[in-house]
Amino acid sequence: MIGSQEMTEKHPVCTQCNKNNVAVIFWGYPADGDGYLKAIDDKEIVAGGCIVSNNDPKWECTDCHYRWGIRDEDEDRWLRLPKTLQGIWND
């Protein structure tokens, strides 16, 4: 618990505005540009950029654009992506 906000992997809540319109931040270069753009349009992911560091945030609120959390390792994240998004990850 963070204050009165419960954080879960499936339904995170923004720690700034308390809304639940949150997407995972996609770090790295996508292999499937069409799937990547569709996932962004559907607000399932947001673009993080191609440069990946050791302290990148994991979540972004699609309402206030606040970013927080700690990015998972690439392999772990790929396994947790919905099957429809796994093809956009560049191995």
Side-chain angles (χ1 to χ4, degrees), residues 6 8 46-49 56-57 59 63 67-68 72 75 81 83 86:
E6 183 176 345
T8 65
V46 294
D56 298 315
W59 305 107
D63 289 320
R67 289 181 168 194
W68 76 97
D72 297 331
E75 184 175 339
L81 283 174
K83 294 285 184 194
Q86 287 182 5

Side-chain angles (χ1 to χ4, degrees), residues 7-12 24 58-59 70 72 80:
M7 297 293 295
T8 65
E9 288 294 311
K10 290 186 179 186
H11 303 288
V24 68
K58 179 176 181 174
W59 305 107
I70 300 171
D72 297 331
R80 277 183 272 178

Side-chain angles (χ1 to χ4, degrees), residues 2 4-7 12-23 43 59-68:
I2 299 175
S4 62
Q5 302 168 36
E6 183 176 345
M7 297 293 295
V13 174
C14 178
T15 59
Q16 285 294 114
C17 71
N18 296 319
K19 294 184 180 176
N20 63 354
N21 299 322
V22 175
K43 296 188 177 183
W59 305 107
E60 181 177 311
C61 176
T62 59
D63 289 320
C64 73
H65 305 288
Y66 179 70
R67 289 181 168 194
W68 76 97

Side-chain angles (χ1 to χ4, degrees), residues 36-45:
Y36 178 74
L37 294 175
K38 181 178 180 340
I40 288 174
D41 286 344
D42 294 344
K43 296 188 177 183
E44 295 175 348
I45 63 171

